[in-house]
Amino acid sequence: MDKRNVIVTGAGRGIGRAICVEFAKEGANIVINYSRDAEGAEITKNLCEELGVKAITVAADVAKYNEAEKLFAACEEAFGMPHILVNNAGITKDNLLMRMSEEDFDKVIEVNLKGSFNCTKLAVSSMSKKRYGRIINIASVVGLSGNIGQANYAASKAGLIGLTKSVAKELARRNVTVNAIAPGFIETDMTLNLPDEVKSAMLSSIPANRFGQAEDVAKAAVFLAGEAADYITGQVISVDGGMHM
Ligand code: NAI
């Protein structure tokens, strides 16, 4: 990964931070995107720099195309255009469909799906020209199976899987691979406040009998960006302890 430029969206904490650190261990230049959590992004930056690589933080709401443009411009100015893009930024606004507002449906689609579209669109032209690119979309097991109370989130992640496969087909000849990771239940701030009964029901559905860690997802992302995965494209890799088979 030496001299590879990596953009990771939503990297001020959680899985995004772990992905940055794992790529830093491989020697890549790291672009840490965040929307509001400047302090968190700075912590991610320090963790990367301690590993001896260059890193920058860039504030941008990836759901807005003009802000995503600023993210790519900052990457280009610091290191050149990205070789690797990890679309990780994501939100939840859970509710049963009967109670879900139109606004909460739209917001989740805007960040999780449209945000990934925006960044992918901005990445592909230089990747195609270079005949090299690795795009990794962080989807979810819920995008494969659906989930009560997550119609918006599941739809956004299922959409992301469709985006992954379509762009993979469009770009395979240019040596640009596009894959998705479908994490199961990962212990981060996103899952921290779920009620205990929900957590124990989840645990009983995981054959590995443990929750995942952000590092479990990060290692899969580095694998998909590395040489060992050169002939893998359009795939969804579950990182879920066997939760969804
Ligand atoms: P998190 O909530 O800890 O981190 C998400 C990050 O995205 C936050 O730093 C947030 O500020 C950022 N973000 C939100 N909207 C943004 C925007 N418009 N522009 C830029 N950044 C934005 O969540 P976690 O757990 O680290 O999740 C990361 C990804 O993994 C998400 O896409 C999530 O849907 C996915 N995932 C997480 C699972 C889990 O169990 N934690 C399971 C399956 C998927």
Side-chain angles (χ1 to χ4, degrees):
M1 302 279 167
D2 220 13
K3 300 198 181 76
R4 297 278 192 230
N5 309 325
V6 186
I7 292 182
V8 184
T9 67
R13 66 182 198 181
I15 293 170
R17 174 181 289 163
I19 291 172
C20 289
V21 168
E22 216 57 43
F23 274 107
K25 286 183 194 163
E26 302 291 323
N29 299 318
I30 316 288
V31 178
I32 301 152
N33 160 250
Y34 67 97
S35 53
R36 281 190 290 265
D37 186 8
E39 214 175 299
E42 207 53 40
I43 294 171
T44 306
K45 181 172 182 264
N46 290 339
L47 290 169
C48 293
E49 286 174 344
E50 279 166 19
L51 291 161
V53 299
K54 291 181 190 153
I56 59 165
T57 62
V58 186
D61 173 353
V62 292
K64 299 190 175 117
Y65 192 80
N66 63 333
E67 294 204 22
E69 277 181 313
K70 281 192 242 156
L71 168 62
F72 279 74
C75 175
E76 187 172 23
E77 197 186 328
F79 306 125
M81 286 297 273
H83 303 88
I84 301 162
L85 166 67
V86 184
N87 285 310
N88 166 79
I91 57 167
T92 53
K93 289 193 180 291
D94 297 352
N95 219 332
L96 294 173
L97 184 87
M98 296 243 281
R99 293 193 207 124
M100 188 176 285
S101 67
E102 186 186 356
E103 194 190 0
D104 282 355
F105 185 85
D106 288 347
K107 189 67 202 159
V108 169
I109 299 287
E110 270 166 32
V111 175
N112 300 5
L113 182 54
K114 176 79 183 334
S116 302
F117 164 81
N118 288 341
C119 292
T120 301
K121 191 166 163 59
L122 287 159
V124 294
S125 148
S126 74
M127 286 180 178
S128 292
K129 275 190 209 130
K130 278 193 282 220
R131 297 285 196 275
Y132 182 87
R134 300 287 176 261
I135 299 174
I136 297 150
N137 295 323
I138 308 300
S140 169
V141 65
V142 161
L144 298 167
S145 64
N147 197 25
I148 292 170
Q150 293 199 303
N152 49 2
Y153 184 76
S156 74
K157 297 300 189 178
L160 185 55
I161 290 169
L163 178 77
T164 302
K165 293 181 180 183
S166 302
V167 184
K169 285 186 176 178
E170 288 182 22
L171 297 181
R173 279 169 194 231
R174 306 253 169 180
N175 191 30
V176 177
T177 68
V178 190
N179 290 290
I181 296 175
F185 189 106
I186 310 296
E187 285 186 312
T188 66
D189 291 300
M190 187 178 264
T191 49
L192 189 68
N193 295 322
L194 287 172
D196 283 345
E197 60 271 24
V198 173
K199 287 189 189 170
S200 59
M202 289 271 185
L203 189 58
S204 65
S205 72
I206 303 172
N209 198 34
R210 70 166 178 91
F211 294 130
Q213 300 303 309
E215 291 70 25
D216 293 319
V217 180
K219 284 177 187 150
V222 168
F223 163 71
L224 286 171
E227 253 178 55
D230 278 355
Y231 199 53
I232 299 176
T233 195
Q235 302 304 306
V236 184
I237 312 255
S238 293
V239 178
D240 65 358
M243 194 176 179
H244 178 86
M245 293 188 196

